[in-house]
Amino acid sequence: TASPSARWEIGAKRWAVQMDDHIWGWASLIPPVLAIVLAVVTRRVLTSLFLGVLVGAAMLAWRECFPDNGETVLAAGNVWDWIVLTANYVAERFLWPTLKDEWNLRVLLFVVLMGAMVGLIHRCGGMHGVVNLLAPFAKSRRSGQMMTWVLGMFVFFDDYANTLLLGHTMRPVTDRLKICREKLAYLVDSTAAPVAGLAIISTWVATLISNVQDGFDEIQDSMPPETIIDSFWIVVQTIPYRFYVIFAILFVPMVAWMGRDFGPMLRAERRRLQADGGSSSQHVQHPVDDFDISDIKPEKRRWYNAALPVGTMVGLLVLLLITTGQAAIRSEGSEWTLYNVFGKADSYLALVYASLASLIVAVLLVRGQRLLSSPQVYSAAVEGIKKVIPACGILVLAWTLKLVTDKDALGTGAFLGALLTIQQQPDWMSSWWFDVYQTMTAIEWMPTAVFLLASFVAFATGTSWGTMGILTPIVIEVIFRLAVNEYGQCPPNHPIMLASIGGVLAGSIFGDHCSPISDTTVLSSQASSCDHVAHVRTQLPYAMVVGVISVICGTLPVGWGIPFWIVLPIGIALMLAFLRVFGKRVDELENSTETPVRS
């Protein structure tokens, strides 16, 4: 029965209290930022991630052993207890829960089974058959990159499946066309999550709908009784407001078609073109085979030995998604709709059994044609698994670091999310910065502020899904209360509301693309056989350009009332202009006297 202004004051006080509850504050950023910086500087991703986990555990153990910030160190002699508790936290509080998590185990098993299947189809010459089959359609660097993008658009139902299938399938093709592995990793990474995030039917749908529903549940009592909340329709309406996602998908074919690159990617592409010309750069990547297939006659290197296992993987994955989704609908008594089926499906179960079936099909094909003996089949599968072990290690430590930054530990994401709700000047914020903050959190600036905050949270935590889960409910409530104060009402489809929700989704993927500790970034580099840090360094400038354009031609003008259908074409034109002005053709070096580029 309270008035809107009274409810707003109550909400403001509640959020202020929650802000005070984040005892670690900015210190909660130390472990993820440390891991990211060390990974980029040292190029030792596993070591950097482990040090991030270790530092986070040490911080939590310190608070337990020295609640007065160390003043009792000499008196109590608790240093040994601190060391022991730190080790206990690393092993028992973070690493072990990560290893026994059912979803994590299914993802690891999926990666291992995919590695075994890919190793087998490489060893039997199936990948060479695919290269020969696609050769008429991929005759140039341009057509090879465009084909990679088109195939990525077709595998829209899951980002993990998209990443691994596309990377492994197109790697021999791009090697033949002298496209560097860094470029392939970029093509894969910038297609997988954006496509799955935009698709109405994908493994992302349930999470997106649930996050939006949670946010509107918080403000249901403050909305008019006749207001109807259709979370799915709200998610659909946010699609044109996900500027980074749309621009990232379109930037890939622009780069491919124009043949222009910039920054570290340009140098990597030129090194690749010079590789056969005698460049001595230690980072040059040659199109070498992963397996010796000299005992497989050319006429027996058949394309369907690769296509049938991959087709089985894709077909069974879709079938299992539909089956598990229908089972969930029947158990819950939900309405049978296509998006409900895919949204409620058990994607992790589907990934495991689809990859297992694809491995079995590959074994049957190889043995049925007598291409390899049983020991050779086993050896090829083991070699394939060996190649994904480093990626599995990175995934485990990245997931562990996410537990360190979780709300039950340091609360990194929750602290950053609470920054949106500050009502009074904190002790750590100067008056000047508080004035800037109040300006940025005005209703017109909120889509931009939300996008930037989501980007930073995803970059620091390495998870787009976790970022969406943390920020979406908070953003919906904050935008609703700001809009009610400003306009007197805020229907669910208010442009500012849709743009802010879209900003969370787009910012999550943007930060994920920039983060070395993101699981999809790890899988993209692994599937493309590209050095992980090299992939991050070469992709980062591309993501940053698209991110800046997303703000200039997206979140900023929309916040001030300009319709999305006006700003989207302007953003596309600006990307084309940027590539035209700042991008350089990779093959220009061959026709000039320029000194060969070395790393």
Side-chain angles (χ1 to χ4, degrees):
T1 60
S3 65
S5 59
R7 287 198 299 269
W8 168 253
E9 291 178 3
I10 294 172
K13 292 178 180 178
R14 177 163 60 87
W15 284 114
V17 171
Q18 289 189 1
M19 190 67 190
D20 292 338
D21 289 341
H22 297 286
I23 56 177
W24 287 102
W26 292 102
S28 64
L29 292 171
I30 293 176
V33 170
L34 175 67
I36 291 169
V37 171
L38 287 178
V40 173
V41 172
T42 67
R43 303 177 70 92
R44 298 181 180 275
V45 182
L46 284 170
T47 303
S48 302
L49 287 172
F50 180 76
L51 286 176
V53 172
L54 183 63
V55 169
M59 291 170 60
L60 292 166
W62 179 273
R63 184 170 291 276
E64 291 292 327
C65 295
F66 309 114
D68 52 0
N69 293 322
E71 294 179 5
T72 59
V73 171
L74 297 179
N78 287 336
V79 176
W80 176 250
D81 293 339
W82 172 53
I83 295 174
V84 172
L85 188 59
T86 298
N88 178 267
Y89 276 0
V90 170
E92 294 296 324
R93 182 171 178 178
F94 300 122
L95 187 58
W96 179 244
T98 299
L99 292 174
K100 71 177 184 179
D101 182 86
E102 179 183 354
W103 286 14
N104 292 349
L105 289 175
R106 289 187 185 275
V107 171
L108 291 175
L109 185 56
F110 165 64
V111 174
V112 168
L113 291 172
M114 281 289 294
M117 185 267 286
V118 170
L120 188 55
I121 62 179
H122 264 289
R123 178 64 180 84
C124 74
M127 281 300 186
H128 282 71
V130 170
V131 173
N132 295 332
L133 179 68
L134 297 178
F137 307 98
K139 296 181 179 180
S140 65
R141 290 170 48 82
R142 173 189 291 176
S143 58
Q145 294 178 62
M146 290 297 294
M147 178 177 290
T148 304
W149 176 73
V150 170
L151 292 177
M153 299 296 287
F154 277 104
V155 190
F156 57 84
F157 42 81
D158 185 77
D159 53 337
Y160 284 174
N162 185 312
T163 298
L164 292 178
L165 287 175
L166 197 61
H168 286 303
T169 302
M170 292 304 298
R171 192 176 69 207
V173 178
T174 53
D175 279 353
R176 179 178 63 83
L177 297 172
K178 292 187 177 182
I179 299 171
C180 70
R181 298 282 177 82
E182 290 92 337
K183 174 61 76 63
L184 175 60
Y186 162 70
L187 297 174
V188 170
D189 202 0
S190 293
T191 306
V195 170
L198 277 182
I200 298 176
I201 300 172
S202 74
T203 53
W204 285 54
V205 171
T207 301
L208 299 180
I209 294 174
S210 175
N211 293 337
V212 170
Q213 187 62 52
D214 289 344
F216 280 101
D217 286 344
E218 290 291 326
I219 59 175
Q220 186 69 51
D221 295 339
S222 302
M223 303 184 74
E226 66 275 8
T227 304
I228 298 176
I229 304 297
D230 186 340
S231 298
F232 171 74
W233 181 235
I234 293 173
V235 169
V236 172
Q237 289 179 294
T238 65
I239 290 177
Y241 294 95
R242 305 179 203 176
F243 297 105
Y244 174 81
V245 180
I246 297 172
F247 290 154
I249 291 177
L250 296 179
F251 198 60
V252 172
M254 289 179 189
V255 171
W257 187 260
M258 297 176 69
R260 293 177 177 272
D261 289 287
F262 56 91
M265 186 71 78
L266 177 64
R267 295 192 290 273
E269 284 279 68
R270 287 180 169 175
R271 283 198 302 268
R272 177 64 190 90
L273 277 180
Q274 299 170 54
D276 295 338
S279 173
S280 60
S281 171
Q282 62 179 335
H283 297 297
V284 169
Q285 294 172 330
H286 298 273
V288 296
D289 292 320
D290 294 327
F291 298 88
D292 179 15
I293 60 170
S294 57
D295 57 336
I296 306 296
K297 296 180 179 179
E299 64 271 16
K300 291 187 176 181
R301 299 172 186 177
R302 303 179 177 106
W303 63 269
Y304 54 78
N305 287 333
L308 288 178
V310 172
T312 300
M313 163 75 186
V314 174
L316 189 58
L317 177 60
V318 174
L319 179 62
L320 288 174
L321 288 173
I322 294 175
T323 303
T324 56
Q326 288 178 330
I329 287 175
R330 284 194 296 268
S331 64
E332 297 177 6
S334 304
E335 179 185 2
W336 198 104
T337 58
L338 199 56
Y339 73 82
N340 258 348
V341 170
F342 277 84
K344 297 181 182 298
D346 190 337
S347 58
Y348 292 91
L349 180 145
L351 286 170
V352 169
Y353 287 103
S355 58
L356 176 60
S358 68
L359 176 60
I360 294 173
V361 169
V363 172
L364 293 177
L365 285 171
V366 171
R367 294 295 295 134
Q369 299 171 67
R370 300 181 183 276
L371 297 176
L372 300 174
S373 64
S374 295
Q376 287 176 318
V377 169
Y378 174 79
S379 176
V382 170
E383 285 300 315
I385 293 174
K386 286 180 180 178
K387 294 182 182 298
V388 302
I389 291 300
C392 291
I394 294 173
L395 283 175
V396 168
L397 288 177
W399 289 330
T400 306
L401 185 59
K402 290 172 189 176
L403 283 184
V404 174
T405 59
D406 193 57
K407 62 181 180 180
D408 295 326
L410 294 179
T412 305
F415 167 72
L416 292 173
L419 291 177
L420 286 176
T421 61
I422 298 176
Q423 301 299 319
Q424 298 178 349
Q425 180 181 339
D427 295 336
W428 47 267
M429 185 181 291
S430 66
S431 300
W432 185 84
W433 276 111
F434 187 63
D435 292 339
V436 173
Y437 166 82
Q438 288 183 313
T439 300
M440 286 297 295
T441 52
I443 189 69
E444 294 82 5
W445 292 90
M446 283 306 292
T448 301
V450 166
F451 173 77
L452 296 176
L453 181 61
S455 303
F456 189 72
V457 174
F459 177 80
T461 60
T463 168
S464 53
W465 283 33
T467 301
M468 290 185 290
I470 293 169
L471 292 185
T472 303
I474 297 175
V475 165
I476 290 175
E477 182 166 1
V478 170
I479 296 299
F480 174 78
R481 302 194 184 282
L482 288 175
V484 168
N485 271 9
E486 185 76 16
Y487 310 119
Q489 61 177 350
C490 182
N493 61 347
H494 192 286
I496 296 292
M497 177 67 78
L498 297 178
S500 298
I501 297 175
V504 174
L505 307 180
S508 299
I509 294 178
F510 173 47
D512 202 59
H513 278 169
C514 299
S515 177
I517 60 176
S518 160
D519 47 6
T520 50
T521 305
V522 172
L523 291 178
S524 297
S525 55
Q526 183 273 320
S528 306
S529 290
C530 172
D531 177 77
H532 180 60
V533 176
H535 167 44
V536 175
R537 285 176 169 173
T538 51
Q539 177 170 265
L540 184 61
Y542 286 60
M544 292 299 295
V545 167
V546 177
V548 171
I549 293 176
S550 300
V551 173
I552 296 174
C553 300
T555 58
L556 276 177
V558 165
W560 292 91
I562 300 177
F564 67 83
W565 51 267
I566 293 180
V567 298
L568 281 174
I570 297 175
I572 294 172
L574 188 58
M575 289 192 295
L576 289 170
F578 180 91
L579 283 175
R580 183 66 183 173
V581 174
F582 297 100
K584 295 182 179 180
R585 294 190 60 86
V586 176
D587 54 3
E588 283 179 354
L589 184 63
E590 295 180 338
N591 302 320
S592 69
T593 58
E594 184 178 343
T595 303
V597 180
R598 301 183 187 276
S599 61

